[in-house]
Each structure stands twice: as C-alpha cells, then as structure tokens.
Amino acid sequence: MSARLTTMDSTLTGGVTMLPHGASRAPLNLRGGRVASSSAGNAFEVDVRDHRIFPGLINAHEHLQVNAVPPLRRAAPFPNSYAWIAAFEQHFQDADVIAALRVPKAVRLRHGALKNLLAGTTCVVHHDPWHAALDADDFPVALLRDHGWSYALDGPDFGPPVRASYLATPAGQPWMIHLAEGTDAVAAGELARLDALGCLGSNTVLIHGVGLDDADIERVIARGAAVVWCPGSNRALLGRTLDPRRLHAAGRLALGSDSRLSGRRDLLDELSDVAARGELPSSALLGLVTTEAARIFRLGLRGGLATGAPADLLIVRDREGLAADSLIGLGRSDIRAVVREGMPRIADPDFAEWFAAVGVDTVAVQLDGRPKLIARSLVDPAVFALEPGLEVSLSDDEREIDLAMEARCH
C-alpha cells in the first residue's frame, strides 16, 4: 500500500448493508467508533463489493465464564433448572471440571467474550455477578451495563434477592431473572409467583420461559415484559423449549446461547438450528439478535447501523444459497471481518491494509482451519488455550523449532 497517515476512520463501499427491515447500497461511514452520515476526509476506503454488511450480533443471554467447563454427562432431561443445579454439584468433583474452574475467572471471562466475537457477536448480556475484568478497556465485546438482575426464584443463594433487586432497578432499565426453566409444575408456577412479588413489569426480562403456558405468555405480553429464548440449552437440559411464535409476533422475544456448558457453540449455530427446525422463518431471525434484542434491553441504537450507532458489524461474502437478509448456514470462519468500534478485530488476510491503515497491529491465526488476522490486543495464550479451533499461525522457522522440540521430548 502507498505511504499514508494512520486514520481511525473508514468508509465501506460497494457492499450491501443488511438490516432486519431493509437493505442499503450506500457507502457505510465509520467515524470515531460510530456510524456517520458522511465520510471523513482521510477515511480509509474498504472495497466490499460482492459482500454484505450486517450489524454486530447481540447475544441476549450468556454466562461468559463457563464456556470451557465440560458439560454434564447425562442423557435424560431434567424436570427443571434446580434439579440440574443439584446434579452439577456432583459434577464439580469431576477432574476435568476441577481443572477448568482452576483457570482464573478473568481469563475465563475473556474467553467467553472472544468466543462470541469470533462468531460476529459484538454485544453480550452477561447474567452473573460483575467482575473487574469486564471493565477492561480492551474487553473483546460490549456488555449490557445499566440493568438489574436476580438469578432465580429458588435454588442457590447466588445473586441479589429477587424483590429487592427488582425494586432497586429504575423502570427505564431492564431487570432479568431465570424463570420457568423447566417442564414440571415447579416451573409452571413460577410466573404467578413472580407476579405476586410485584416483579412482572415492562422492564422484566425472563430467561428461558420453557414452562410458560399460553395464558402465561399472554400475561407477559400484556405487562410489556419479554423472554430470552435459549433453545439449544433448553433442549440439552430439559428435552424441549418454548414455542416462540406468539412472543415473536408481539416483539417480546430475543435469542441467547446460555453458554457451551449447556448450549450450542455460538449464536450462529443457534440461528442455524432454529432455521433448520422451522420454528420461526429465517427472515425473522436477524431481528432477534439485533434490533429486537436492543429494544428489549434498552440498548439504544445498538443492533442497527443507523447514523450514530456503534460501528459494530460483520462482513460476509455473497454466496449462492445465502438468503439476502440472513446469516443462516454460516460458520464463524465464513465471516470475512468482524468490526468493533469502527476497527477490524478479526478478518481474512486480504484485509491486512485496513488493519494497518487504522493502526491495529495483528497476529496471524488459524480459525477452524482457515487463515485469519486478529488484533494483537485480543491475543492471550491463556485465553487461546481454552478455545478449540483457534491457534496462532507459526512461521516456517517457528514450526521447525516446534517440531524439533516435540521430537526431543519423545
């Protein structure tokens, strides 16, 4: 590339920007970490013809720190989450689980965030006690911050008390709780119990909701509350999930992955599973992980690419069989670039000039067997060690040294 001053700004040209309610072929201007109405004079131009640009995805429910913890070895479904929690107490004695939890929590939190970023998720709703590691300036994803929460109505003494935390949460901020996570009478009775406590309002976000019946769902909608659907985790632990159609039609549904402890690998896999089962039309799914999630969690312009929105996005190549408004069928290595705050964070090697132009130092890696460049700030050997399919690419000299060391050890 020709010599030029480093810039913080970019303009994406020639591509199609995809949103849940339409598409645009206009250039997409990224200035100061946000989408802008016009291009900066020194913006670096990125030619993305034959590509589609999507908003960065929002994962509406995650436990970031447990993505490397081995799941329970159990085939039969649990009647509710409390039975699963009790079974997990025994699982804590498993040597692999002990080893996984010995990894510092700060490392496990960054791993969960990087797992999300690799799949195009740029914002996560983390449902656990806050940790100082989440406040790091270079944390891989954006997080929901202004919110209240409780863990569940019953079970472990973990998290703030239900009624006190709800009353302490301003009406303009979301308040979330695991609820009706089961298929038995215990789960079926939880919405009424929550309502009796005075904790079912327009800012209430229920996680899972498998035990909700039709009348419960209508009550949720009437109160202006919402549900986060985690179908992969529900099927793995409970044997079934909720019917999402009525909640979706009312605009009261978002999608979460829970974590790899019980759910699918990432949000892309969750989307593909939902589409394969025909539970919602493919055309509806982008909204679940962008604009609908942003509205439910009061995230402002996040989840879209309107002027002023955070410049968080992913770029994919047009290909036969890819629906115009959908990411269905894509794996994380198919994503050409993931951008956070206007800066490429992980991308294919032919975007090297873009990284250089905006001053992002990179490291060559392999992601599921494909070469990528990743921002050096995201490279942490302890975190990489937890993520299957991600490894730093060795130079020829480094590879020879590595092989020689292995041979010497044997």
Side-chain angles (χ1 to χ4, degrees):
M1 73 185 264
S2 59
R4 58 172 293 154
L5 293 176
T6 298
T7 176
M8 297 288 287
D9 305 320
S10 309
T11 296
L12 310 185
T13 63
V16 180
T17 301
M18 308 305 305
L19 297 169
H21 305 296
S24 170
R25 293 186 175 273
L28 187 65
N29 303 302
L30 314 181
R31 299 181 65 179
R34 293 191 173 268
V35 177
S37 58
S38 61
S39 174
N42 66 337
F44 182 76
E45 184 174 314
V46 185
D47 184 351
V48 288
R49 73 186 75 181
D50 301 322
H51 287 74
R52 299 174 192 171
I53 306 164
F54 290 84
L57 308 184
I58 299 171
N59 189 342
H61 182 66
E62 257 272 12
H63 301 281
L64 289 172
Q65 76 278 10
V66 294
N67 278 279
V69 176
L72 279 166
R73 300 183 184 93
R74 177 185 170 101
F78 293 97
N80 57 53
S81 60
Y82 308 119
W84 174 77
I85 291 169
F88 201 83
E89 291 298 321
Q90 296 296 319
H91 194 48
F92 275 125
Q93 308 309 313
D94 187 285
D96 290 340
V97 175
I98 292 171
L101 293 174
R102 197 174 287 138
V103 175
K105 190 173 184 180
V107 173
R108 291 187 281 120
L109 286 165
R110 287 190 71 90
H111 168 244
L114 181 61
K115 176 212 82 167
N116 276 277
L117 189 71
L118 293 172
T121 295
T122 55
C123 182
V124 174
V125 178
H126 176 60
H127 193 156
D128 272 311
W130 203 256
H131 188 281
L134 303 175
D135 292 321
D137 290 340
D138 63 349
F139 199 71
V141 296
L143 298 165
L144 176 71
R145 290 177 177 270
D146 297 324
H147 67 283
W149 71 284
S150 190
Y151 192 78
L153 285 175
D154 296 314
D157 182 15
F158 181 71
V162 175
R163 181 170 167 76
S165 66
Y166 180 79
L167 294 177
T169 303
Q173 296 178 4
W175 178 82
M176 57 190 178
I177 184 171
H178 295 91
L179 196 93
E181 188 179 356
T183 59
D184 63 355
V186 171
E190 286 201 330
L191 186 72
R193 290 178 58 199
L194 188 75
D195 199 5
L197 288 172
C199 300
L200 183 61
S202 61
N203 65 336
T204 300
V205 184
L206 310 176
I207 313 300
H208 300 298
V210 178
L212 300 177
D213 63 19
D214 292 344
D216 289 334
I217 289 173
E218 293 303 326
R219 190 191 310 194
V220 168
I221 294 169
R223 298 294 180 82
V227 175
V228 176
W229 184 32
C230 302
S233 177
N234 296 159
R235 291 193 181 93
L237 296 181
L238 309 173
R240 69 175 176 87
T241 190
L242 60 77
D243 182 337
R245 292 174 293 180
R246 179 69 184 99
L247 287 161
H248 174 259
R252 310 311 305 164
L253 188 73
L255 188 71
S257 65
D258 211 357
S259 77
R260 289 179 185 161
L261 183 60
S262 58
R264 301 287 284 130
R265 181 172 74 166
D266 52 46
L267 210 51
L268 291 176
D269 283 358
E270 293 282 358
L271 288 168
S272 293
D273 282 358
V274 172
R277 291 174 178 271
E279 291 162 307
L280 289 173
S282 295
S283 60
L285 300 185
L286 181 59
L288 288 186
V289 293
T290 55
T291 52
E292 293 298 304
R295 181 174 52 75
I296 288 168
F297 283 101
R298 323 289 174 99
L299 288 167
L301 293 175
R302 191 173 292 281
L305 293 172
T307 298
D312 291 0
L313 55 97
L314 56 150
I315 301 170
V316 302
R317 192 189 299 276
D318 270 325
R319 71 180 193 186
E320 187 177 354
L322 178 64
D325 55 358
S326 172
L327 293 166
I328 304 308
L330 292 180
R332 60 186 189 171
S333 64
D334 296 316
I335 298 174
R336 294 270 284 133
V338 179
V339 178
R340 273 269 292 122
E341 298 177 333
M343 302 287 194
R345 301 303 168 100
I346 182 164
D348 286 345
D350 56 335
F351 284 109
E353 275 195 294
W354 187 10
F355 280 106
V358 297
V360 176
D361 194 17
T362 62
V363 173
V365 297
Q366 293 280 323
L367 179 63
D368 300 337
R370 293 188 183 179
K372 301 281 181 179
L373 296 176
I374 190 168
R376 188 175 292 276
S377 63
L378 296 173
V379 178
D380 180 336
V383 172
F384 273 40
L386 300 178
E387 182 56 26
L390 177 66
E391 57 184 13
V392 174
S393 297
L394 299 178
S395 67
D396 290 342
D397 288 344
E398 290 170 325
R399 190 173 292 105
E400 286 184 14
I401 292 171
D402 198 43
L403 291 172
M405 291 294 292
E406 283 189 19
R408 187 175 301 170
C409 289
H410 291 294

